[in-house]
Amino acid sequence: NSVAATRIVSTLAARNFLLPVGAALTLPSPATQALILADGRSALILCEDSRVRVIDLAEWKVAREFSFDQKIQPQGVRIAAKNPAVFAVALADGTVQVCDTATGRQRGKTITPPHLVEAYQTTQFQLGTWRTLFALSPDGRWLMTFRATVAVFDASTGEERFHGEHFNASMPPDFATYNPFSSDSSRLAIPYWEFAGARGSGGDSKRVKSSSILLSVPDGKVLVA
């Protein structure tokens, strides 16, 4: 096949592929998410059995594993980009727990996103189908939850520090795929859409403008809009 042959030769010549340096690590349950911690020595692996396993990358073995009283949401683990000592998990009921990487113990109280409370009051809400959108700040001090509104919590206590009731617009669906915190954890950059007309009223709603807003952390003060 001339097409396949050309592509194979090009790939081999460019060497733009990775080869394993050792045997694959066998886990008790298939892995669904893998995150390398800030120290570069360990990784967190979320498995189908809803256990979080800490992998020692030098020894290439499971160093610790943590279980929770509920299932963890798919892709429901977050780490702090500059702090390997903390991670967060989103559980099946929509709540979030911030935990110590060394022990797996919860820091502070369980976090309930404010919009989760609102969702409970709607007829469309079904427990187990809710997906919590959240992020840890790079230093691990703050946890943000977001959907139509934004809330910031103290990661060490679970106390809410800011809830953006005034910020009631839709966010791009891919907003959850990146961390909106600044590198020093002092700012949040929030993209959102503005609509004209009533949302969900037979197609009358129309997206009219894409905007962004810059908030200070943890008080939520608007810096640039």
Side-chain angles (χ1 to χ4, degrees):
N1 186 307
S2 59
V3 175
T6 301
R7 293 179 179 176
I8 291 172
V9 170
S10 176
T11 300
L12 292 174
R15 296 190 180 184
N16 56 353
F17 51 87
L18 300 177
L19 294 175
V21 296
L25 178 62
T26 302
L27 298 171
S29 175
T32 60
Q33 186 181 9
L35 301 165
I36 296 179
L37 297 176
D39 58 10
R41 298 192 296 266
S42 302
L44 289 187
I45 306 293
L46 174 61
C47 297
E48 285 185 355
D49 61 4
S50 270
R51 289 177 178 262
V52 175
R53 292 177 168 89
V54 181
I55 308 300
D56 184 318
L57 296 179
E59 298 293 331
W60 200 227
K61 66 180 182 180
V62 177
R64 299 177 295 282
E65 66 176 60
F66 310 129
S67 60
F68 298 82
D69 58 2
Q70 299 180 47
K71 287 188 175 180
I72 299 174
Q73 294 182 16
Q75 303 295 305
V77 178
R78 300 290 184 273
I79 60 174
K82 298 181 179 181
N83 184 355
V86 61
F87 71 96
V89 295
L91 302 176
D93 65 356
T95 61
V96 179
Q97 291 183 4
V98 181
C99 305
D100 286 316
T101 308
T103 64
R105 293 174 183 168
Q106 183 176 348
R107 293 186 173 191
K109 64 182 182 180
T110 298
I111 293 172
T112 301
H115 36 270
L116 176 62
V117 177
E118 298 164 3
Y120 268 114
Q121 301 170 357
T122 68
T123 57
Q124 293 83 11
F125 178 77
Q126 292 183 346
L127 187 63
T129 62
W130 179 272
R131 291 294 174 262
T132 303
L133 309 179
F134 67 115
L136 273 172
S137 63
D139 61 9
R141 292 184 61 195
W142 315 111
L143 182 133
M144 183 188 75
T145 65
F146 47 93
R147 193 167 284 267
T149 57
V150 174
V152 174
F153 297 83
D154 187 317
S156 63
T157 65
E159 296 292 335
E160 183 181 300
R161 299 295 299 273
F162 163 71
H163 177 191
E165 292 91 350
H166 68 283
F167 190 79
N168 190 16
S170 287
M171 300 177 189
D174 60 351
F175 181 48
T177 63
Y178 72 94
N179 194 313
F181 283 97
S182 62
S183 60
D184 65 356
S185 304
S186 67
R187 302 287 187 270
L188 280 172
I190 310 295
Y192 64 96
W193 295 330
E194 295 180 6
F195 289 83
R199 297 292 309 279
S201 56
D204 293 337
S205 177
K206 181 181 180 182
R207 192 174 80 193
V208 295
K209 186 172 68 172
S210 296
S211 304
S212 61
I213 191 170
L214 187 66
L215 306 177
S216 64
V217 178
D219 58 11
K221 180 181 178 181
V222 177
L223 301 174
V224 179

